[in-house]
Amino acid sequence: EDTLVLTNLSLKNFKENLDLSFSKIDRIDREAFEFSSNFFTKLILENNRIKHIENGTFLKMKSLIELNLKYNNIEIIENYMFNGLNGLKRLFLSFNKIKIIDLFGFYDLNKLNFLELKSNQINFIKNQTYIFFKMLSDLDLSYNNFEIISIDRLKNVKIKN
């Protein structure tokens, strides 16, 4: 089957939303949004085949408020994967194959208030992972394989599990 890699997009005409759903994207290179970073607030990459997102991919996307990565093949939330998205408020990662969330996987997501991780294969999240969630109010962890869930740091968060 063909492989589609998202790389070096120049999308200056997009003002708010960029919808790349159902585009058969397998991987997103670090340079993918280098020249279109401040032109949209919502990026939809739902229903692709994304397994890996290079660290630094979102580094220049300061205006992004919502990122939808539902229905892909992501297995690991790697350290600094979302670095640069310090204005992001909503992150959708449901219906992937996520098993591992690295300690700094959600680094830089200080304004995130909604995180959807339902229907993955997560069985453990380190308690220290939550230190980056200063504004989080909604967290959906339903339909995962949790053996241990530490939520001491999430006292004011509405959690679905």
Side-chain angles (χ1 to χ4, degrees), residues 106-130:
F106 294 116
Y107 178 80
D108 225 6
L109 298 181
N110 300 321
K111 293 186 180 167
L112 195 70
N113 57 38
F114 180 87
L115 176 59
E116 188 182 83
L117 284 163
K118 73 179 172 191
S119 294
N120 279 289
Q121 299 165 19
I122 305 165
N123 61 17
F124 179 75
I125 299 177
K126 294 176 182 142
N127 200 19
Q128 297 89 339
T129 305
Y130 304 123

Side-chain angles (χ1 to χ4, degrees), residues 15-18 36-45 58 60-69 82 84-93 108-116 135-136 138:
K15 296 295 180 205
E16 289 181 22
N17 300 341
L18 176 59
S36 52
S37 52
N38 286 314
F39 296 100
F40 45 90
T41 57
K42 186 175 182 179
L43 176 58
I44 305 162
L45 292 161
F58 304 113
K60 296 182 180 179
M61 301 185 79
K62 304 291 182 207
S63 60
L64 201 64
I65 293 171
E66 183 174 308
L67 177 58
N68 184 338
L69 288 161
F82 300 108
L85 294 178
N86 50 12
L88 195 71
K89 293 184 178 180
R90 292 177 298 281
L91 178 58
F92 300 89
L93 290 163
D108 225 6
L109 298 181
N110 300 321
K111 293 186 180 167
L112 195 70
N113 57 38
F114 180 87
L115 176 59
E116 188 182 83
M135 311 266 304
L136 194 66
D138 285 286

Side-chain angles (χ1 to χ4, degrees), residues 23-79:
S23 298
K24 298 182 181 175
I25 299 167
D26 293 298
R27 190 179 81 229
I28 302 175
D29 281 349
R30 186 182 176 124
E31 304 85 23
F33 301 107
E34 195 171 316
F35 302 108
S36 52
S37 52
N38 286 314
F39 296 100
F40 45 90
T41 57
K42 186 175 182 179
L43 176 58
I44 305 162
L45 292 161
E46 187 175 335
N47 282 291
N48 281 289
R49 302 180 300 206
I50 300 166
K51 186 173 183 176
H52 180 74
I53 299 171
E54 287 188 29
N55 293 346
T57 296
F58 304 113
L59 204 52
K60 296 182 180 179
M61 301 185 79
K62 304 291 182 207
S63 60
L64 201 64
I65 293 171
E66 183 174 308
L67 177 58
N68 184 338
L69 288 161
K70 291 195 283 190
Y71 295 98
N72 278 288
N73 297 319
I74 299 167
E75 293 178 6
I76 301 172
I77 303 297
E78 296 179 25
N79 286 328

Side-chain angles (χ1 to χ4, degrees), residues 90-102:
R90 292 177 298 281
L91 178 58
F92 300 89
L93 290 163
S94 294
F95 304 99
N96 275 280
K97 297 174 181 174
I98 300 169
K99 295 176 187 165
I100 298 168
I101 299 175
D102 285 343

Side-chain angles (χ1 to χ4, degrees), residues 112-115 130 133-140 151 153-160:
L112 195 70
N113 57 38
F114 180 87
L115 176 59
Y130 304 123
F133 298 143
K134 296 179 177 28
M135 311 266 304
L136 194 66
S137 57
D138 285 286
L139 175 61
D140 191 344
I151 53 175
R153 296 180 186 252
L154 298 174
K155 290 178 174 65
N156 299 320
V157 178
K158 185 176 117 188
I159 300 171
K160 242 187 190 179

